[in-house]
Amino acid sequence: MIEQQKQEPEMPYLTRIQVLGAMGATAIILLIVAKLWLYFGNFSLFSWNFNERDLLLGVGLGFAITALSGLTYRLWSSYRKSADFYLEVILKPLTLPDLIWLGLLPGLSEELLFRGVMLPALGFDDLAVIVSSLCFGVLHLSGSQQWPYVVWASIVGIILGYSALLTGNLLVPIAAHIMTNWISSYMWKIWELSKSKK
């Protein structure tokens, strides 16, 4: 009984419309912050261009991040509990077609702000990657017990930040972020559906 109380979420479960609305609102807010920062800042948006090589590199990186996440999930019990809570709150009310938005909205808006704007604003260096990644991690905080998820999101932010710096193309972290969200959310939904059929 006590263990069950610890597992209860600190926020109420959301409906499908609330989750989709929150994703849309968050994406709009992040885009507005990015636009304002670009307007008032003395720097340019991180360059990006569409080419097949970098798109494939981003997709491959997305698969690698998802595999690392799965390994972390298996080996780190605190992260597993934190991820289960986060994914249940966000994914449970969504349908499989909704996962398209779960990939696109955060993948585009978060990468635009945290890699596209913050990296050039903070100086295109290691400190810029770390600061932007910590901010990215904190964005994923959904309760006081969710620090392992924040730590993992910050690590993913570092990977995405360096992928942008090393390739010089914002397309790489955008594609990686979208793929990571799509693959992990799809796998979670399929796993949940299979459990409910047993």
Side-chain angles (χ1 to χ4, degrees):
M1 184 72 128
I2 295 171
E3 185 65 28
Q4 225 175 8
Q5 288 175 343
K6 287 181 185 174
Q7 297 294 332
E8 287 299 311
E10 295 176 17
M11 56 190 238
Y13 285 106
L14 303 172
T15 66
R16 175 178 176 261
I17 298 301
Q18 288 171 324
V19 171
L20 291 172
M23 277 194 310
T26 302
I28 290 168
I29 290 167
L30 294 179
L31 290 171
I32 290 170
V33 170
K35 282 287 204 182
L36 289 172
W37 201 345
L38 280 170
Y39 182 78
F40 290 109
N42 190 21
F43 61 93
S44 299
L45 178 68
F46 198 107
S47 67
W48 81 285
N49 57 62
F50 188 85
N51 67 65
E52 197 173 292
R53 184 187 69 89
D54 285 348
L55 178 63
L56 291 174
L57 184 62
V59 168
L61 184 59
F63 276 99
I65 291 170
T66 304
L68 279 174
S69 180
L71 184 62
T72 304
Y73 184 89
R74 291 194 195 308
L75 299 177
W76 185 17
S77 63
S78 296
Y79 170 70
R80 183 169 49 253
K81 289 176 190 169
S82 183
D84 283 341
F85 167 79
Y86 187 83
L87 294 171
E88 183 155 334
V89 168
I90 302 299
L91 293 179
K92 195 165 193 169
L94 299 181
T95 64
L96 284 175
D98 294 335
L99 301 184
I100 294 168
W101 297 112
L102 185 69
L104 291 175
L105 290 175
L108 293 169
S109 63
E110 291 174 12
E111 291 312 309
L112 178 66
L113 177 61
F114 294 107
R115 263 57 73 180
V117 172
M118 285 185 92
L119 285 181
L122 298 175
F124 286 114
D125 57 14
D126 294 333
L127 182 61
V129 170
I130 291 167
V131 170
S132 65
S133 299
L134 290 173
C135 292
F136 176 72
V138 169
L139 178 72
H140 293 81
L141 182 65
S142 57
S144 61
Q145 301 299 312
Q146 294 306 101
W147 66 267
Y149 199 83
V150 171
V151 169
W152 177 249
S154 298
I155 292 167
V156 171
I158 290 170
I159 295 168
L160 295 172
Y162 279 114
S163 77
L165 287 186
L166 293 172
T167 63
N169 192 351
L170 189 60
L171 176 66
V172 174
I174 288 173
H177 195 153
I178 291 170
M179 287 306 298
T180 299
N181 283 10
W182 276 345
I183 298 164
S184 57
S185 61
Y186 182 78
M187 288 172 61
W188 190 89
K189 287 297 278 186
I190 295 301
W191 181 66
E192 280 295 304
L193 289 170
S194 69
K195 277 195 331 187
S196 66
K197 287 177 182 174
K198 289 180 181 177

